Structure formats: structure tokens, C-alpha cells
Amino acid sequence: MLGFKLKTNATESINLVKDASLTAVYKVPARIESREVRVEKKLPFPFPFPFLPLSEVQASSVAKVRLEGSVIDYFGAPVPNRPVIIEITPPSGATRYANTTTDASGNFKTETDFLANYSYTVTYILPEDDIYSGASS
């Protein structure tokens, strides 16, 4: 019997059979932090928002919003060149998705349009891959 211990304090025991090989896979946990939302500028109407009734759209204004943050791993190192999916859920209607990629420092950003005076739910998602376990916030 062979045992090994990972930094996450998880212990696994493996029974080896004759002529068997052992492969251990460990995916580094990662997290998304330093989220920031900035209103860059307000845009005049008309502007297309198919998920809201026209009467609500005309009574509001549109803001260009920058969403940004960073992805770091369990050890505090930046996670470069990884996709980040930003899920934007409006008060009513369809959810929108923005796809971006972290830079060499693990930072990401995207700009999108929001209606002023509405609450949106924004979720940042780091998909799982062969090195990192997925994360969302």
C-alpha cells in the first residue's frame, strides 16, 4: 500500500497491482478577487435593450461599465492566460455572457452596457482546466 499527502491535507491510499503504474493528478485551487466596477460613461438613447420593455428603456439611461478583477492561485501567484467568463443577469430577461482572458499578471477586464437605476447580478467564473480547479464569485 502506498500513501501520499497533498498540501490540502487530503490523504489517499492506493493499492498497486503487479505491472501497474500510478498517476496522481492535483489541480491547484484558484480564486477570483479584486473585483471592481467602474462607470466609464453614460450613453444617450436610443440604445437597443431587447430584454426590457420599451417604456422602461426610454425612462432610463445607459452606462458603459468596466468590470475588472484578478485571478490568483492557492499559493498567491497570478494565474496568467486563462479564460474568465463574466455572467451578467439583468433584473428581467436573458443572461448575457462576456468572455475575457487574464493577462500575464492574472488581471482581466471587460466593458459592457448597463441600464442606469437597475440592479444586475454579476458572476465571475474561472473554468476548470488541466491545471486549475474552477472558481466563481
Side-chain angles (χ1 to χ4, degrees), residues 1-136:
M1 186 163 0
L2 174 69
F4 62 94
K5 192 166 188 166
L6 301 174
K7 288 201 176 262
T8 59
N9 296 327
T11 302
E12 298 289 332
S13 295
I14 300 170
N15 291 322
L16 295 179
V17 180
K18 186 177 179 181
D19 296 331
S21 63
L22 172 67
T23 302
V25 177
Y26 175 71
K27 293 189 178 190
V28 179
R31 68 181 185 274
I32 299 172
E33 65 175 27
S34 302
R35 293 177 310 277
E36 187 171 338
V37 178
R38 293 189 210 171
V39 176
E40 296 293 317
K41 59 184 174 183
K42 290 190 175 183
L43 305 173
F45 270 103
F47 206 82
F49 281 92
F51 52 85
L52 291 174
L54 185 58
S55 61
E56 291 184 38
V57 171
Q58 290 173 342
S60 303
S61 60
V62 177
K64 178 71 76 177
V65 177
R66 176 178 289 198
L67 303 171
E68 55 187 55
S70 59
V71 179
I72 60 172
D73 69 14
Y74 176 80
F75 306 104
V79 177
N81 305 314
R82 292 293 188 258
V84 175
I85 302 166
I86 303 172
E87 183 180 88
I88 304 163
T89 306
S92 62
T95 298
R96 294 183 289 158
Y97 296 90
N99 295 305
T100 187
T101 303
T102 58
D103 62 17
S105 300
N107 300 314
F108 64 87
K109 64 183 172 187
T110 190
E111 288 186 0
T112 188
D113 299 319
F114 282 67
L115 285 176
N117 303 318
Y118 283 92
S119 295
Y120 291 82
T121 301
V122 177
T123 304
Y124 300 85
I125 302 165
L126 176 71
E128 182 173 345
D129 62 17
D130 56 339
I131 297 173
Y132 297 97
S133 60
S136 67

